[in-house]
Amino acid sequence: MDVRRTAVVKLIVSDEQRDALHRTAEQYLYCANRTAEYCWSVTSFTKCKTNKRQVRDALYSEFREETDLQAQLVQAAIRRAVEAVKAVVERWKKGQRVSCPTFTAETMDYDTRSATFYRNKASLATVEGRVEPPFVLPADSPTPYERYVLSEEYEFRESTLRYDAATDEFYLNISTRRIDGEDAEVSVDTGHPDQTVLGIDLGVNSLAVSSTGTFWQGDEYDHWCREFEKRRGEMQQRGTQAAHNALLRLARREEAWRKQYIHTVANEIVSEAVEHGCDVIAFEDLTDIRERLPQAKWHHVWAFRRLFGYVSYKAPDQGVSVEQVEPNHTSQRCSRTDCGFTHDDNRQGEHFECQKCGYEINADYNAAKNIGLRYARKRTHKLRSSPKSGGGDAEVDLRINGGTLNGDSHRPVAGD
């Protein structure tokens, strides 16, 4: 089995390089959206086109004539769109409401021919030719970039260039694979006694809750989302050109605020993992989360996906990997390891009370523990957990951090 590692680096770009990357991303997204439209069918999922080779043969030459993109970037855009359509088709088959995928975020996929890496810089293909922006690397050595990208034990597979509008910065997520992957997998996943996992539950009342008992409340986030929505409504009613321009400025300000807020929560989650010596941060799989949380609004689902994405690229810089586990029954299952009783009646709103053993705890915290436990049991890691009520958790070697925690007492972090 492959052992893969990701290094995240921030690029130092000049004004000319920035313009070239923005123009490249614009044409890349054009190809991706055109591909999605070509593949999509509004009548039946059986009519959607999901064969990458056939779609590429149909569109490649046209895109090469219409854009200035390098061949590999055209193919990468087509591939991304087809994969997105295939994922939507799978949900459609399950009877879920779906729509044609659209691509708006400035991200591009680079392979070994469109990206080359050196000790302190990258060479990236753009519509203006190659650009070679240097990196901003952490002061501590060896950095993840040095350990994986420059290591002879790992080989470069692909990278994703991502533009963060909130900070006006470009980042590269560089994926590598260990060359002797099969042997390395044995040494990584056979239960190293010091490996630990931090479980993270995502929800509406609490944006995120960790298995160490830290709560990131969603109150402030919801409040400002409502305020922005109210202001948009007032401007739309005016119907003037000035109101339209103000609406555009408000949209940019809202997007920047959302991203910065989620950045703060992501930083604190990574810090929580580092503080408690965790090697892994485990999230629930976000597939179908809209159906699993019907009370969640669109801005909640946006926040969940963005939070997972931010943590995924921030955590490797601190030597922490990010994984996902199946979310089924994490809210209804008792997190005491000597119980594990699962029943719908165990959870009532924000309160969890096991109908079998009587274990009472905040429901979101219980779910966070179950998410961490699910990964810990799968990988034979230990779970970083906060204080617990009653026994039973010792079998998975939970770390006790002191204090007490229940449904009425918890520490909000990001919403202060």
Side-chain angles (χ1 to χ4, degrees):
M1 296 178 63
D2 286 346
V3 175
R4 297 178 182 267
R5 294 292 183 267
T6 299
V8 181
V9 295
K10 183 169 74 172
L11 303 180
I12 304 174
V13 295
S14 65
D15 291 341
E16 293 78 8
Q17 291 171 340
R18 184 181 304 276
D19 290 342
L21 291 172
H22 280 310
R23 287 195 293 272
T24 305
E26 180 180 3
Q27 296 189 26
Y28 183 96
L29 294 177
Y30 167 79
C31 293
N33 284 309
R34 279 280 310 278
T35 301
E37 294 171 0
Y38 173 81
C39 295
W40 187 250
S41 169
V42 296
T43 58
S44 172
F45 60 77
T46 60
K47 296 183 179 180
C48 291
K49 301 176 180 66
T50 57
N51 185 294
K52 293 179 185 178
R53 180 181 295 274
Q54 293 178 359
V55 175
R56 184 193 63 193
D57 291 344
L59 299 177
Y60 174 78
S61 297
E62 181 179 347
F63 289 164
R64 287 284 282 159
E65 293 180 0
E66 294 179 349
T67 70
D68 299 314
L69 291 176
Q70 187 191 60
Q72 284 73 32
L73 289 177
V74 170
Q75 295 184 46
I78 294 173
R79 185 165 54 250
R80 175 188 288 188
V82 175
E83 290 174 351
V85 171
K86 289 176 67 175
V88 171
V89 166
E90 290 303 314
R91 296 200 296 272
W92 196 350
K93 290 179 180 178
K94 298 176 182 178
Q96 301 172 13
R97 296 179 61 183
V98 296
S99 59
C100 178
T102 57
F103 304 89
T104 58
E106 285 193 48
T107 61
M108 295 182 286
D109 301 316
Y110 283 83
D111 62 12
T112 55
R113 290 170 292 180
S114 53
T116 305
F117 296 97
Y118 304 96
R119 175 159 294 277
N120 296 310
K121 66 179 181 180
S123 175
L124 304 173
T126 74
V127 294
E128 302 293 334
R130 287 267 176 169
V131 297
E132 296 187 348
F135 297 146
V136 176
L137 294 176
D140 296 337
S141 186
T143 66
Y145 180 78
E146 293 168 331
R147 288 203 305 266
Y148 306 130
V149 181
L150 299 182
S151 172
E152 294 182 356
E153 297 180 356
Y154 287 82
E155 63 179 358
F156 167 66
R157 303 294 292 176
E158 60 187 2
S159 63
T160 299
L161 179 72
R162 180 180 55 81
Y163 173 66
D164 188 339
T167 60
D168 193 27
E169 302 286 358
F170 282 94
Y171 295 85
L172 273 173
N173 288 29
I174 309 169
S175 174
T176 64
R177 181 178 69 89
R178 185 154 181 166
I179 297 174
D180 55 340
E182 187 169 342
D183 294 336
E185 183 71 16
V186 175
S187 65
V188 171
D189 284 332
T190 52
H192 189 288
D194 295 327
Q195 288 181 322
T196 54
V197 57
L198 181 74
I200 299 292
D201 177 64
L202 303 175
V204 175
N205 296 320
S206 298
L207 188 62
V209 181
S210 72
S211 59
T212 51
T214 298
F215 284 64
W216 288 269
Q217 299 286 27
D219 296 345
E220 182 184 4
Y221 181 76
D222 284 342
H223 167 74
W224 283 107
C225 286
R226 289 192 297 268
E227 286 296 313
F228 279 117
E229 185 175 0
K230 178 181 177 181
R231 294 176 191 175
R232 283 198 304 273
E234 293 172 351
M235 293 177 183
Q236 288 170 346
Q237 288 180 353
R238 297 174 189 172
T240 63
Q241 183 61 45
H244 175 73
N245 294 338
L247 192 62
L248 294 177
R249 292 194 298 271
L250 178 66
R252 289 193 294 268
R253 188 161 67 249
E254 179 182 8
E255 181 182 17
W257 177 86
R258 288 179 189 276
K259 289 182 177 179
Q260 187 56 51
Y261 188 93
I262 301 303
H263 266 299
T264 300
V265 177
N267 287 335
E268 292 177 355
I269 288 176
V270 175
S271 296
E272 186 82 0
V274 172
E275 178 183 347
H276 294 284
C278 296
D279 304 279
V280 180
I281 300 174
F283 284 82
E284 58 184 305
D285 190 333
L286 299 182
T287 305
D288 303 333
I289 192 169
R290 190 182 297 274
E291 288 72 26
R292 288 188 281 110
L293 290 176
Q295 71 275 30
K297 297 183 179 180
W298 70 267
H299 59 258
H300 293 129
V301 177
W302 179 93
F304 299 153
R305 299 190 187 281
R306 185 66 61 136
L307 180 60
F308 174 75
Y310 285 171
V311 173
S312 294
Y313 82 78
K314 292 173 182 286
D317 278 348
Q318 303 299 323
V320 180
S321 63
V322 180
E323 305 289 347
Q324 290 182 305
V325 300
E326 290 297 323
N328 51 303
H329 307 306
T330 53
S331 295
Q332 294 81 30
R333 184 185 185 279
C334 179
S335 60
R336 287 183 54 170
T337 56
D338 60 348
C339 179
F341 179 68
T342 302
H343 197 281
D344 290 343
D345 293 340
N346 282 351
R347 176 165 188 167
Q348 299 296 330
E350 296 185 50
H351 182 70
F352 180 92
E353 180 177 1
C354 180
Q355 303 301 300
K356 180 179 180 181
C357 71
Y359 181 52
E360 295 187 57
I361 196 172
N362 177 274
D364 293 329
Y365 174 52
N366 178 76
K369 290 175 65 179
N370 278 325
I371 290 169
L373 285 167
R374 181 159 294 174
Y375 186 83
R377 285 166 174 156
K378 179 180 179 182
R379 300 291 184 179
T380 64
H381 288 22
K382 295 182 292 184
L383 172 70
R384 279 288 185 251
S385 175
S386 192
K388 47 200 178 290
S389 300
D393 288 335
E395 293 182 11
V396 292
D397 197 12
L398 301 189
R399 174 65 64 87
I400 298 177
N401 297 321
T404 59
L405 179 74
N406 54 45
D408 299 318
S409 63
H410 55 261
R411 178 170 65 92
V413 174
D416 291 349

